[in-house]
Amino acid sequence: MMAASLLRRDKKSTAAHLKADLKRTDNSSGLRQLQELLDSVLNPERGSDPEALDWCKWLLAGGDGFDEFCRTVRSYDNATLCGLVWTANFVAYRCRTCGISPCMSLCAECFNNGDHTGHDFNMFRSQAGGACDCGDGNVMRESGFCNRHRLKTGENVPSVPRDLLLMSEMVLPRFIITIIQYLRDGYTEPESAADRDLQKVLQQLDPHISFLEELTKMGGAMRTVLTKILTDQQTFKELSMGQEDNVYAKKNYEKYLSALKSSGLVSVEEKGAAGGAGDGTSDAAAGAGALSLLGATATASLDDSSKEEDQDGLQGVGQRKRVKLSSSTKDPSIMDTLKHKCFLEELLFWTIKYEFPQKMVTFLLNMLPDQDYKITFTKTFVQHYAFIMKTLMKSHESDTMSNRIVHISVQLFSNEELARHVTEECQLLDIMVTVLLYMMESCLIKSELQDEENNRHVVVNCGEALLKNNTYWPLVSDFINILSHQSVAKRFLEDHSLLLLWMSFVSFFQGMNLNKRELNEHVEFESQTYYAAFAAELEACAQPMWGLLTHCKVKETQDYTKTVVRYCLETLQMWFDAIGFVDEPSLNQLTFHLPLHRYYAMFLSKGVKCQGLDLDSLLPDQEMLMKIMVHPLQIQASLSEIHSNMWVRNGLQIKGQAMTYVQSHFCNSMIDPDIYLLQVCASRLDPDYFISSVFERFKVVDLLTMASQHQNAVLDSEQERPMLEGALTFLVILCSLRIHLGMSDDEILRAEMVSQLCMNDRTHSSLLDLIPENPNPKSGVVPGSCSFEEMLSGVADFKAPVFEPGGSMQQGMYTPKAEVWEKEFDPIMVILRTVYRRDVQSAMDRYSAFLKQSGVHTGNPWPPYKERTPLHPCYKGLVRLLHCKTLHIVIFTLLYKIWMDHQNMSEHVLCMVLYLIELGLDNQVQDDKVEEEPCIEEHCHDSWFPGTSLLSNLHHVINFVRVRVPETAPEVERKRERERERETPPSTSSESATFGQSSRRLTGNWRENLREAQVFSLVAERRRKFQEIINRSNHEASQAVRPKSSASRWLPPGTPPQLVTEILEIRESMLSLLVKLHQKLSAKQNSLSLSWLAEVDPAHHAHGDGLTAIERILAKASARSRHSKRCLQEICGKVCPPIPPKKISPGDKKSMDKEERRQRARERQQKLLAEFASRQKSFMETAMDVESPEADAVMDVSSEESLDSEVLYDCVICGQSGPSTEDRPTGLVVLLQASSVLGHRCRSDMPKRLPTTDEEHIYPEDTCGATHDVRLSLMQRYFKDSSCLQSVSIGWDGGVYVQTCGHTLHIDCHKSYMESLRNDQVLQGISVDKGEFTCPLCRQFANSVLPCRPGRGMETGAWHAPSTKSMSTLVKEVEDLQEQLGIFPIESNLSKEMESVIKDIKNTTQKKYMDYGKNPGSPDNDFLFMYSVARTNLELELVHRGGNLCSGGASAAAKRSCLNQLFHVLAMHMRLYSIDSAYNPWTRLTLSTQSRENEYCDEERPEVPMLFRDVPSLLIIFILTMPQPLRKEHFTCVVKVLYSLQFTQALAALSIRFSREERLAWSNTGAAKKNLPNSDKSWESLLGHMISELTKAKDVYDTNSEETSALSSSVWSPQSIEFRLQQFCLPFLRLSCLLQHHLYGDSLPGCLVEEEFSLLTRCLGLAASVQCSGSMSSAACLEWNISAFDLISQWCSEVVALSDTPSQQSASLLGQDPQWAAPRLLQLPDNYNTIFQYYHRKSCSSCGKTPKDPALCLVCGAFVCLKGHCCKQQGVCECVLHSQHCGAATGIFLLINASVIIIIRGHRFCLWGSVYLDAHGEEDRDLRRGKPLYLCEERYRVLEQQWVAHTFDHINKRWGPHYNGL
């Protein structure tokens, strides 16, 4: 057919042909052809084949190439938005300064192209994915747009030519329906198919969807076409069902219909049933429906039929029938099955069905910049909302799916206009609330709170996956997001039926996760459901609440608050009914979740604070207030119980709940509203009722008796004290906390900040985290007008980040200013905000430290009393708590008990009692004209105090009190004694004793009377009040109510002793008790004299201990009342000592003793600890001292010591002191490590820069290690191998460095120490099998022991005598010494140890760093390695001394050096290889034998010429191979001879750098001076001679003309030549001097840098003849033993003789410069972002992928994959490999994604910390905060210092094995 013929033609021409056809006005034939072609190409039955895609691309392009077509379409892009879509883990930015919506985000490109300097922005890793908002004025301010999206580009883009996108309009609909048909086909219901593999279907579709994505990226023009197609209903109708004759299409459509069936909320069967109920659509019916959600609580307002239905709905709890919602939603369509009208809707439907595949999501989001699409898509999304919820609940991958849902919804709902539009048009709010309700209904269970059997309330079950996995999160987050828009929130608050629905939703969480106290045994399984419960309350209840509250800020919104409060109260009332609550909370039950209470509290607070509402108009009646108070109070009491270990059998999780409840993210949605609600109740209820409730809830009623003994029915005695403290502390918090009672936002912020800073110094980020922010996202960081930063700088000082010598790095910290400690420290706020009890102690310790330091108070201070902000007038009633008789009786009783030393009292109790008294004195009740209630004689407490004012009650004297006590109590004993003495007790009818005999006692309630009379009054009082309020109408007020609980009161086993009534004589008032307590505390008889009162000044008493507190109270009392003052003076006048209790019963004594013993034990322990700490401190001071005495004993034994004294060593294991002997050698604790630090040195002082662009590179060729490698391999090409191996040093890379802590031990002691370590498994990071251990004394890390040689420490005495022999004699002697054969040492313990150390040294480094010879393992190779170890250690010590010897002997490096011992070990080993005398370089240096010139020819290769040899290496070889000990004159001789060679080399190197003309000139000058006397000590003549000799060699001088021309641009003056010669010789002189210092103990005097040369030559004895210290001539130090010119000619001739060496190589070997700059790490950029942006997306050079964890080597700049399996070799990951290759097993890596540095050292690694800190001096590990980071130079210097000094092992403590996995 036609299509077939088209298919055969090539695609390009076909497309062009069709396009031409379609452009005609009559395009029917073209259309037909196209349709047929597409039918065959896009045949869904063929599956997805790449051919089809190819066809589509050609057809769209209509004859052009597809890429060409893309470019053309892009040129018509009119989009003004960026809209770039990203997926999880993408790095994006958020700028709070520019954002309107809190969810605003920018891609890196738009961010960097916009101007955000000084803004509050951060970088973040996207969790769910997102899209760039640049250009969208609804989400961000225009000032933040980048320069690309700032211009309205749309205006000047030409309009799109019609035919450009013609083909697209024709082809794409067919393409999209193919995708849809494919999705229909592939879908199987989860139940039906066992092997349901949606991924497979999606994978095959991948190319198609990617193609769509590509189209969206072509810009606005193409998006417009796509939008048209996706939203066109006609096309959808035509294509969706397929044509009549197409069987496939029909079947396919049916599949789609069946998939649609299950998409509604109400399944089809339920629909019929619900139809009947759905006819009442008026608001009333809607409300009623909503109420029915609360279970049967709503029965009052519903008709009977629904009542029955509800009742049986509750029969099967757990499997509750679904509550029919049909009547409650205004729009039944929410429940119905979906119907689709266009492609977009069906595409979204399948996207949901397939659980939001990433590609589809990205495609749908990529279209959003198109405005029409955005609106349609949002509506479609809302329409599918319920279906999304259903799919989400079924999904197995709910986490991933949640992220993808939010990825979409955030883009739609953050935009206020759009959100408002959908709310109005599609009932978005109804849909959301309904969907949330439905979701939660799936996991409801019956509540067991209060009345377990008949409870009708249902709550969510926190154990269900829905809550445990936060599955509800996306829906709640959308809801919070739309409530942040004012227009939407107002609609919500105005819609009463919605509010009711929402309240019923909130009530599902009321009382969830109920805890029941375990009384018998510990729970087997600790449930962790509390996480889910707290998260659910915070996210599903509190955050929407905060969202609504932000819109209730002004007077105009009063009505909203009133409505919410009304519904809260209604719902609460229904809740109380449902749980069957009367008046008592049930025992041992606790729930932390009361969201309804908290909604009520927060709206109350907001109404009073911001909207000027009158509190009383919002409050219910007294009875309801009493109910409301119960559960929050229960939580406060339970907190105390939990901390008193009463819930310990419930496991740790209950403590977790108590902590979470007060934790900073939860406290302002939980404990703050609770306490506020209790404050409101307290201010409106009868204070006596309230106070007695508190003590009853805290279970300490029984304790409040004057008697010295009592029985407590509910508490063990060790729980009494903490519970009493808890109750009093709670009362103090209740009376003094002002967070919702009148503080402004700024004051709150300040108080929060101060309380956090007082507990501990804090970093900026932890402060931000710890200060409870207003959880509503719109409000910015912290509420209030004043910014966080200003406030912070007002209360705190910044402590810059420091680096402590121990290696721990401190972050930048904020610490409270002095005046904050003085005036603002508020212990009450601290107690309220501490998650851990230890923080309160920490705050107090810091407070007392401050007082000590500022000299205010030296003892143990008490928490200071702080003045409060005044109360808001609404809450004035709260003060009455402090002025009620009940509280005064409690205070009096407690003061008395503390004075009498009754058990279970504590300092804290006294402190809180005094705090309450002081609060009462400071907050007087304003109007004392309140008419007193008529006194009914039942008021037990009237007999105690005359009125309610604390001030007047203070001086009221109480004479007698009647108490009930056990028969065994001391009071009874005393009475018996008195009776024996025939003393009648005084009359009890005095006014104050009626307490005990009030008529109430006789009501016959004897069970109740088992407890003390006074407490009975507390409880009875409360019952009476309650009764009074309940029965206002009846006159039964005087009748006692029998408490429910008393009958079932649990009696302890073993009948208690009988209680008897006793009368105590007291005769005290509160004032007199305070005075007596003052005496008791101060232990003085009359601590308060009469004169004291006169001169008191309350201000002075702000800080101090209990004495100060009492004095302050007495001062206030006497200042405020004359009567008190008089009483006080009387008391002070006739002060008498306190009556000690007469006799203490043995039981009492026991408990007191026990307490005392505990106290003493505690004190002893403190003392021991303190002593131990001071000992440890003094040890640390001696051990860590740089110039430590032991170290000196080893190193610098002073030369004055007498000749024969042997060095004595102390063994740090056995403690004995003695010499090191052959049999029992002593050794130094050493750490051997391979090091490449020297090899990384460069010539220039400037460190190399880390590349951060593609143009920058680092060249490794110019490092010291690389240069030496090149030099050695060059020599090995032309010279004899054995000679080459003595002409250079190795060990620049991978050399072995030896360092010691200076402590010594016997080697046999060490062996047993290692054995004990082997059996000790706890050592972390130390591998004993590798010989690692820590020094037994200073715990420094070590891995070997270096034996000390027996005998004297240094060569002293005769060895030092100045030599008088001539140079030639000495040369001869040295030669003879070298001829002596090495004597093999006698086999002894010492020699064995030396052997084993050598083995250790060889094992320290890798094979490749030891074998440089042609035949590995040969003696020559070994020889080279040995002397190179000595060289490495000398060179490193030089580096540690700063690269020169100017600083003299006192250097920290010297302390760690053990060169002396190391030299002897190496020397012993090297003596075994004697140098063949024929090749001894000494003879060639001194020309003492000249016969061997002609022997060169029969060698296969010549020896290395002297001028090419490395002079320091020769020095070390000579010293190590000559017999030890070596006389100093011989040492000096060797140095002199080698200096001549070094000087000659310097001349040669210099001459190569001259231009030809300069060479000529200088050789002439030299020739002229040659015949002068002393010409061999003038460099001019020697240089001239040298040039003329070397000119004989074939063109040594002519090769590198380009190279020299650069150097010779400057003219050489005599001064510059002299300077160069000195610089050239300095490295050799420094090494010789250092060696002399270590071998002979010569001191190293310090000097200026300019004088270093002259100083060193003097020290080495080179400059003996020259005395002038000024300008030192380098040639003057020469001392030749034969004619200098002959010697130089001889050395030059060796170079000239090299006929086969290319002259270029000779020149480069001659011109070697021995100077290197100090080793440096790379120079890093200041801003971390520079590194991050370049490297975090860079691909790895070895595997080509972008690494998941990229890392950078800071030594050489290599880019490596951390932990990447892609670059593993032989099971070793790339970082470890690189550390071996680059640093001989030491690597320093910067982790790009974490900004931290890790150190790899051998088989271990540690996290070093970060060198990049933010503006507040903090690290940002893992870039979690994403704030800009800047390089901290000090830290980087410290890191470099540790690398150069090789101290990583000592300073960093947390090492762990890396198992080659980094």
Side-chain angles (χ1 to χ4, degrees), residues 673-916:
D674 287 356
I675 287 196
Y676 167 69
L677 200 54
L678 286 168
Q679 286 173 320
V680 169
C681 294
S683 70
R684 290 296 181 272
L685 290 171
D686 179 273
D688 294 300
Y689 168 76
F690 191 89
I691 297 278
S692 42
S693 304
V694 170
F695 287 111
E696 197 178 348
R697 279 294 153 268
F698 276 85
K699 306 185 176 167
V700 289
V701 172
D702 298 359
L703 177 64
L704 301 175
T705 166
M706 294 275 188
S708 60
Q709 290 185 353
H710 63 274
Q711 291 160 357
N712 194 326
V714 277
L715 292 182
D716 301 347
S717 93
E718 71 264 16
Q719 290 160 352
E720 282 189 328
R721 197 179 87 219
M723 286 302 286
L724 177 60
E725 289 174 359
L728 292 167
T729 310
F730 165 68
L731 279 176
V732 169
I733 288 178
L734 198 72
C735 296
S736 55
L737 193 66
R738 298 278 186 272
I739 288 188
H740 289 287
L741 308 185
M743 281 172 89
S744 70
D745 284 348
D746 285 350
E747 290 171 319
I748 295 176
L749 171 59
R750 190 172 179 113
E752 298 276 10
M753 210 177 259
V754 168
S755 66
Q756 289 301 343
L757 288 167
C758 288
M759 294 180 221
N760 282 302
D761 288 351
R762 307 278 189 193
T763 59
H764 188 266
S765 62
S766 65
L767 256 185
L768 269 177
D769 192 49
L770 286 167
I771 288 182
E773 44 168 310
N774 177 346
N776 171 50
K778 265 246 166 126
S779 63
V781 184
V782 171
S785 51
C786 173
S787 79
F788 186 87
E789 302 304 328
E790 279 170 48
M791 186 71 79
L792 182 55
S793 55
V795 297
D797 293 322
F798 180 62
K799 287 201 308 207
V802 287
F803 190 92
E804 293 176 350
S808 61
M809 277 175 294
Q810 295 297 313
Q811 316 255 21
M813 291 281 195
Y814 288 88
T815 186
K817 290 184 187 299
E819 57 266 29
V820 167
W821 281 119
E822 264 172 48
K823 301 198 181 67
E824 297 188 51
F825 170 48
D826 179 8
I828 302 305
M829 190 73 181
V830 171
I831 290 173
L832 182 73
R833 285 291 179 247
T834 41
V835 180
Y836 302 101
R837 286 288 156 114
R838 58 165 186 262
D839 287 344
V840 182
Q841 194 48 51
S842 153
M844 283 309 297
D845 293 347
R846 286 159 59 85
Y847 170 63
S848 65
F850 163 76
L851 291 184
K852 272 198 192 80
Q853 189 191 345
S854 55
V856 180
H857 179 81
T858 49
N860 222 354
W862 278 26
Y865 173 81
K866 183 172 180 284
E867 299 283 331
R868 303 284 155 189
T869 40
L871 275 171
H872 186 288
C874 276
Y875 308 108
K876 280 283 183 264
L878 187 59
V879 178
R880 294 182 314 163
L881 272 194
L882 297 164
H883 297 281
C884 73
K885 294 181 185 176
T886 312
L887 182 64
H888 301 172
I889 295 173
V890 170
I891 290 179
F892 183 84
T893 310
L894 288 172
L895 288 173
Y896 179 78
K897 287 177 81 75
I898 294 170
W899 179 53
M900 295 298 278
D901 283 319
H902 288 179
Q903 63 186 58
N904 284 337
M905 293 296 123
S906 67
E907 196 176 71
H908 186 70
V909 171
L910 177 57
C911 180
M912 290 294 116
V913 168
L914 294 179
Y915 210 111
L916 284 169

Side-chain angles (χ1 to χ4, degrees), residues 994-1014:
T994 53
F995 170 95
Q997 323 157 284
S998 70
S999 56
R1000 175 68 71 85
R1001 289 262 325 281
L1002 310 172
T1003 48
N1005 187 350
W1006 282 109
R1007 181 38 104 23
E1008 193 63 53
N1009 273 344
L1010 285 179
R1011 298 150 84 196
E1012 313 80 15
Q1014 174 209 345

Side-chain angles (χ1 to χ4, degrees), residues 1315-1332:
E1315 273 313 305
S1316 69
L1317 285 184
R1318 206 165 260 117
N1319 308 329
D1320 180 11
Q1321 288 306 310
V1322 277
L1323 290 167
Q1324 285 109 4
I1326 286 186
S1327 125
V1328 182
D1329 303 334
K1330 294 195 170 80
E1332 297 174 354

Side-chain angles (χ1 to χ4, degrees), residues 1353-1628:
M1354 303 286 180
E1355 323 314 343
T1356 45
W1359 301 102
H1360 268 266
S1363 161
T1364 48
K1365 304 174 186 163
S1366 71
M1367 181 75 175
S1368 43
T1369 330
L1370 285 171
V1371 168
K1372 191 79 195 93
E1373 284 180 17
V1374 169
E1375 190 175 336
D1376 297 342
L1377 282 173
Q1378 290 183 347
E1379 298 295 307
Q1380 289 181 17
L1381 282 174
I1383 311 123
F1384 276 86
I1386 329 102
E1387 187 68 20
S1388 71
N1389 288 340
L1390 181 66
S1391 61
K1392 275 194 209 135
E1393 284 314 318
M1394 292 199 163
E1395 282 301 312
S1396 85
V1397 154
I1398 293 289
K1399 202 146 84 232
D1400 280 351
I1401 289 178
K1402 288 184 172 167
N1403 291 338
T1404 301
T1405 189
Q1406 298 156 37
K1407 210 73 194 127
K1408 66 172 181 186
Y1409 293 128
M1410 288 159 52
D1411 292 337
Y1412 281 91
K1414 298 278 171 65
N1415 36 0
S1418 68
D1420 287 325
N1421 226 327
D1422 226 12
F1423 191 79
L1424 166 67
F1425 176 68
M1426 284 302 139
Y1427 75 74
S1428 291
V1429 170
R1431 173 75 184 271
T1432 305
N1433 282 280
L1434 276 171
E1435 288 274 5
L1436 275 169
E1437 184 173 334
L1438 255 180
V1439 167
H1440 297 162
R1441 285 172 176 273
N1444 57 33
L1445 292 179
C1446 297
S1447 57
S1451 146
K1455 188 216 153 202
R1456 286 200 305 269
S1457 153
C1458 42
L1459 277 165
N1460 197 331
Q1461 286 76 2
L1462 178 65
F1463 259 78
H1464 290 297
V1465 172
L1466 293 174
M1468 189 214 89
H1469 197 74
M1470 280 177 68
R1471 291 285 286 151
L1472 306 181
Y1473 314 110
S1474 64
I1475 306 178
D1476 179 352
S1477 59
Y1479 299 124
N1480 187 341
W1482 185 252
T1483 52
R1484 292 168 57 200
L1485 276 171
T1486 56
L1487 289 189
S1488 47
T1489 44
Q1490 298 196 336
S1491 54
R1492 296 180 38 253
E1493 281 198 32
N1494 51 0
E1495 293 177 24
Y1496 276 146
C1497 43
D1498 34 283
E1499 302 269 338
E1500 72 288 7
R1501 279 188 175 176
E1503 289 216 3
V1504 179
M1506 277 295 153
L1507 290 179
F1508 290 177
R1509 294 200 175 201
D1510 179 44
V1511 185
S1513 300
L1514 287 172
L1515 172 71
I1516 293 173
I1517 292 174
F1518 288 144
I1519 303 300
L1520 286 179
T1521 50
M1522 286 159 78
Q1524 300 287 350
L1526 187 63
R1527 294 174 78 100
K1528 181 143 181 210
E1529 53 187 8
H1530 294 148
F1531 176 80
T1532 310
C1533 172
V1534 173
V1535 172
K1536 283 179 177 173
V1537 170
L1538 287 173
Y1539 178 66
S1540 316
L1541 175 60
Q1542 182 73 63
F1543 187 77
T1544 314
Q1545 288 188 2
L1547 292 174
L1550 205 55
S1551 68
I1552 285 191
R1553 294 208 158 79
F1554 289 162
S1555 63
R1556 186 170 295 150
E1557 298 76 39
E1558 282 180 309
R1559 257 200 301 276
L1560 204 56
W1562 285 114
S1563 73
N1564 295 339
T1565 318
K1569 292 202 177 179
K1570 200 169 185 176
N1571 305 323
L1572 297 175
N1574 264 355
S1575 61
D1576 60 350
K1577 292 200 174 187
S1578 116
W1579 58 261
E1580 283 113 326
S1581 53
L1582 295 172
L1583 178 60
H1585 182 66
M1586 173 103 219
I1587 292 173
S1588 57
E1589 286 293 324
L1590 277 180
T1591 319
K1592 299 176 191 166
K1594 61 171 204 308
D1595 52 55
V1596 168
Y1597 282 139
D1598 301 336
T1599 50
N1600 39 7
S1601 46
E1602 327 72 57
E1603 196 180 310
T1604 50
S1605 61
L1607 289 164
S1608 61
S1609 55
S1610 61
V1611 180
W1612 291 92
S1613 67
Q1615 289 78 21
S1616 61
I1617 292 181
E1618 172 64 41
F1619 178 70
R1620 285 305 286 266
L1621 292 172
Q1622 288 193 19
Q1623 291 301 314
F1624 203 95
C1625 299
L1626 266 176
F1628 165 70

Side-chain angles (χ1 to χ4, degrees), residues 265 338 348 352 379-391 405 409 413 428 431-433 435-436 474-479:
L265 272 186
L338 295 160
L348 179 65
I352 299 167
K379 288 182 176 167
T380 311
F381 188 77
V382 173
Q383 174 196 342
H384 283 75
Y385 208 72
F387 178 50
I388 292 176
M389 182 265 298
K390 284 182 82 166
T391 319
I405 294 173
S409 62
F413 298 145
L428 176 59
I431 291 177
M432 281 191 168
V433 176
V435 164
L436 276 168
L475 307 182
V476 170
S477 123
D478 287 347
F479 186 56

Side-chain angles (χ1 to χ4, degrees), residues 498-571:
L498 255 183
L499 267 177
L500 263 175
L501 266 183
W502 184 249
M503 285 298 155
S504 52
F505 173 76
V506 172
S507 72
F508 287 160
F509 300 90
Q510 176 93 349
M512 64 177 158
N513 195 34
L514 186 65
N515 300 288
K516 297 186 181 147
R517 183 168 149 220
E518 296 290 332
L519 296 172
N520 305 327
E521 60 219 42
H522 198 287
V523 285
E524 292 163 38
F525 168 70
E526 288 198 27
S527 86
Q528 296 297 320
T529 50
Y530 80 89
Y531 292 124
F534 276 95
E537 179 171 350
L538 190 68
E539 292 185 2
C541 305
Q543 291 202 314
M545 169 184 83
W546 288 104
L548 293 171
L549 281 169
T550 35
H551 305 296
C552 299
K553 275 190 182 149
V554 284
K555 223 173 168 108
E556 292 73 62
T557 49
Q558 278 188 357
D559 296 344
Y560 297 152
T561 310
K562 287 182 185 159
T563 317
V564 177
V565 167
R566 191 173 84 238
Y567 284 131
C568 279
L569 284 173
E570 278 179 30
T571 320

Side-chain angles (χ1 to χ4, degrees), residues 257-273:
L257 290 179
S258 76
L260 268 181
K261 263 207 193 88
S262 60
S263 68
L265 272 186
V266 186
S267 55
V268 186
E269 311 79 80
E270 282 184 25
K271 240 178 159 176

